[in-house]
Amino acid sequence: MKVSPGQRLFSDALQALKVLQDAGRTVLKSEELSRQQREVLVKNGFLRQVVRGWYMPSRPDDAPGDTTPWHAALKTFVREYCDDRFDELWHASPEYSVALHVGATVPPRQIVVWSPKASNRILPLPDTFSLLDYRRDIDPGRVELVSGVRVMPLSLALIKVPEVFFRSSVRDARIALHQVDPSDLLRDLVEGGHSAIAGRLAGALRAVGRGQVADEILSTMRAVGYAVTETNPFTVPLSEFHLGEAKSPYVLRMRLMWQEMRGAVLEAFPGEPGPPADVAGFMDSVEEVYASDAYHSLSIEGYRVSDDLIRRVAGGGWSPDTAPADLEAKNALAARGYWLAHNKVKETMVKVFSGANPGAAFRSDHASWYQNLWEPCVAAGILRPVDLAGYRSHPVFIKNAAHVPPSKEAVREMMPELCSLLQAEESAAVRAVLGHFLFVYIHPYMDGNGRLGRFLMNAMLGSGGYPWTVIRVERRGEYLDALDAASSHGDIAPLAAFIRSCMEAGASH
């Protein structure tokens, strides 16, 4: 078949893009592709413009307005754009430096960078983001790389942040104050002669439970001749909470979120029924709602499933051997995996009803939930057995969400912490709501996190005698908005109220 010049150009452009992506490029300068290549790739949805002269790869099936490619490329764009403009003579502002040091997963809408070469201008970016380059002298020898972005050392960033930071970013400030090395902080305070800031940081450290470090700052600064008055920059009293010896910013963040959010969950839920006296009857009720739960949970994830398919899979009337001839192969594999995982979740619930700690049971069993969810895909040859081993080993992004799940390294710290938080929590409602939220926040697997998060929610609800609760596909938008309110804005109340309303709706049927 004769290939037209247009088809050849498109093919050549795709090949050029593949070479760049294979080399690890996630943001491209215009000169890395010819004008014709850029135009044909943009026209066919494989490339999007970020700003004039800069592009990011995308997918042709991305819906109009889909912000996922931008959130995946944002930090890389900031680094490469600023490196190109300022010859690496730049770093993030103190506030953004702290946010990156403490593992914040939602970037600020306006990203500020400092450079002596800056022009004090605002560059509009996709999805209402912007980049402000602020002309300031910097010390090139005091620059670190965190999450791919050039930042100030944490001690220096805490000295440079304005006092309002301790009111506007309380959680980030608490984590940073817990993390910062006292020796680094003292050295930077003394060398810079920051007497007023030393008093502010001493007060902040005392407010978060590091009184010994606060005393050391005051005594050292006074010993070298500075008059220091301690002040507390936090305008609201901080709850008494000891973060322990953990140094991972992600673990510290989870502990703070759990403490801050559990009260709203307790307010949203009725009195806990307690473990069921009739375990067999309770498990029968779980089975009664299985078909509805499977339909809605799979539909939320975009699978097209029918009642007939669910019955056929649950009754053994489908197997991977028939998949190549089955027009619903993808949906059938998902339905079969859901059935297998559902049965594993029921086994976990029986353990809990027999006296096992719910968090401990989840710790020991959740890997088998995941493995059974995807076992049909392994049997059909779509996935390799090794794909079901452990947590994800690549970055993931949640469609159209500002929250970017943490790195694969952070996942390995956060999942054990989630299990520990579940283990220590007395309230089944808190275990259910915060367990579901944090599981999705962590996104420990490449796929299936929503289904597994809802399994976790129902296992924890059941541990307190609450009924198995179906989140219906008709309420998908409300559900995702509630999750986003928790992950992007720290507000768990909408999710707690939403899950309770789903429970009550199920009880009325």
Side-chain angles (χ1 to χ4, degrees):
M1 184 176 68
K2 187 175 180 180
V3 178
S4 70
Q7 289 172 316
R8 187 176 298 110
L9 172 62
F10 187 26
S11 175
D12 291 346
L14 285 172
Q15 181 59 38
L17 180 60
K18 181 180 184 300
V19 169
L20 291 167
Q21 289 184 293
D22 288 348
R25 307 283 287 123
T26 55
V27 173
L28 310 175
K29 288 194 69 177
S30 57
E31 56 259 37
E32 295 181 79
L33 295 164
S34 72
R35 180 180 60 80
Q36 289 181 314
Q37 287 174 333
R38 294 196 308 270
E39 289 176 351
V40 73
L41 289 170
V42 169
K43 178 181 177 181
N44 287 279
F46 287 91
L47 206 62
R48 287 191 195 177
Q49 188 178 60
V50 179
V51 296
R52 185 175 179 180
W54 291 85
Y55 294 82
M56 61 185 177
S58 59
R59 292 164 51 103
D61 57 351
D62 288 338
D66 187 346
T67 60
T68 311
W70 166 239
H71 288 289
L74 188 152
K75 289 178 184 175
T76 304
F77 170 77
V78 170
R79 183 186 70 240
E80 297 198 12
Y81 176 83
C82 292
D83 281 352
D84 184 69
R85 277 197 63 201
F86 308 129
D87 299 321
E88 300 187 0
L89 194 62
W90 69 277
H91 57 56
S93 67
E95 296 94 328
Y96 192 35
S97 291
V98 171
L100 291 168
H101 274 293
V102 301
T105 61
V106 179
R109 284 287 161 178
Q110 183 170 85
I111 295 169
V112 182
V113 299
W114 288 9
S115 172
K117 296 184 175 183
S119 54
N120 296 325
R121 72 172 186 174
I122 297 174
L123 178 70
L125 298 174
D127 193 27
T128 69
F129 280 81
S130 63
L131 176 66
L132 167 63
D133 57 77
Y134 186 42
R135 182 174 294 172
R136 287 290 298 266
D137 288 331
I138 68 169
D139 182 351
R142 302 295 308 278
V143 176
E144 301 175 1
L145 203 64
V146 176
S147 298
V149 178
R150 297 169 66 80
V151 301
M152 309 171 78
L154 182 56
S155 57
L156 194 57
L158 278 172
I159 289 170
K160 297 289 185 181
V161 292
E163 185 171 353
V164 70
F165 177 79
F166 295 89
R167 300 191 291 273
S168 62
S169 303
V170 175
R171 187 183 298 157
D172 285 357
R174 291 185 72 174
I175 297 169
L177 290 163
H178 186 85
Q179 272 190 281
V180 70
D181 182 273
S183 296
D184 292 342
L185 188 59
L186 261 173
R187 185 166 51 249
D188 285 332
L189 286 168
V190 171
E191 286 185 359
H194 300 295
S195 56
I197 293 171
R200 181 168 74 210
L201 288 176
L205 285 160
R206 196 177 308 282
V208 301
R210 299 190 75 182
Q212 185 175 342
V213 179
D215 291 339
E216 187 178 354
I217 287 174
L218 295 174
S219 62
T220 301
M221 293 295 288
R222 288 165 180 164
V224 296
Y226 292 104
V228 180
T229 301
E230 181 176 330
T231 59
N232 181 1
F234 294 106
T235 55
V236 295
L238 301 183
S239 55
E240 290 187 15
F241 184 67
H242 299 290
L243 292 172
E245 296 302 315
K247 286 297 180 183
S248 164
Y250 297 99
V251 168
L252 297 174
R253 184 173 296 274
M254 289 176 69
R255 292 180 185 175
L256 279 176
M257 285 196 294
W258 195 281
Q259 179 216 25
E260 293 166 1
M261 293 178 170
R262 69 184 304 273
V265 178
L266 292 171
E267 287 180 12
F269 269 73
E272 191 168 310
D278 179 7
V279 172
F282 186 92
M283 298 310 294
D284 285 344
S285 70
V286 169
E287 203 56 32
E288 287 172 7
V289 299
Y290 170 73
S292 175
D293 179 62
Y295 170 78
H296 288 284
S297 191
L298 288 165
S299 296
I300 284 172
E301 305 304 326
Y303 293 101
R304 294 180 179 272
V305 293
S306 63
D307 290 340
D308 175 67
L309 176 60
I310 291 169
R311 284 193 296 268
R312 184 154 48 94
V313 166
W318 179 91
S319 74
D321 296 335
T322 68
D326 193 336
L327 294 176
E328 294 182 294
K330 177 184 175 184
N331 300 322
L333 288 167
R336 178 64 178 171
Y338 198 85
W339 168 248
L340 295 173
H342 165 83
N343 289 333
K344 286 295 180 182
V345 175
K346 288 200 303 179
E347 291 177 14
T348 301
M349 294 175 73
V350 170
K351 277 188 191 178
V352 172
F353 295 146
S354 300
N357 177 283
F362 172 76
R363 187 192 296 270
S364 65
D365 291 358
H366 71 276
S368 71
W369 299 1
Y370 172 73
Q371 290 156 7
N372 278 270
L373 190 68
W374 295 107
E375 188 276 333
C377 290
V378 172
I382 297 172
L383 294 177
R384 302 170 300 162
V386 71
D387 293 329
L388 304 188
Y391 301 124
R392 61 178 164 88
S393 55
H394 300 284
V396 296
F397 301 93
I398 302 174
K399 199 170 186 66
N400 288 326
H403 161 68
V404 176
S407 68
K408 59 183 174 55
E409 293 82 10
V411 169
R412 284 143 183 80
E413 299 173 340
M414 296 174 80
M415 282 304 293
E417 180 64 19
L418 173 59
C419 295
S420 296
L421 290 166
L422 290 168
Q423 240 172 296
E425 178 57 57
E426 296 179 354
S427 164
V430 173
R431 290 195 298 269
V433 177
L434 296 189
H436 173 42
F437 159 60
L438 283 173
F439 187 89
V440 176
Y441 181 93
I442 298 167
H443 243 61
Y445 299 111
M446 291 303 295
D447 201 357
N449 295 286
R451 280 161 280 174
L452 292 167
R454 290 186 287 278
F455 279 140
L456 168 57
M457 176 191 79
N458 272 305
M460 296 300 129
L461 286 174
S463 71
Y466 293 108
W468 189 282
T469 296
V470 177
I471 295 178
R472 301 178 67 84
V473 67
E474 296 87 354
R475 301 184 68 182
R476 182 178 186 273
E478 186 182 353
Y479 171 50
L480 296 181
D481 286 347
L483 281 170
D484 186 60
S487 59
S488 298
H489 308 294
D491 184 4
I492 199 66
L495 183 63
F498 174 80
I499 292 174
R500 177 179 175 178
S501 72
C502 290
M503 179 189 300
E504 292 173 342
S508 66
H509 288 165

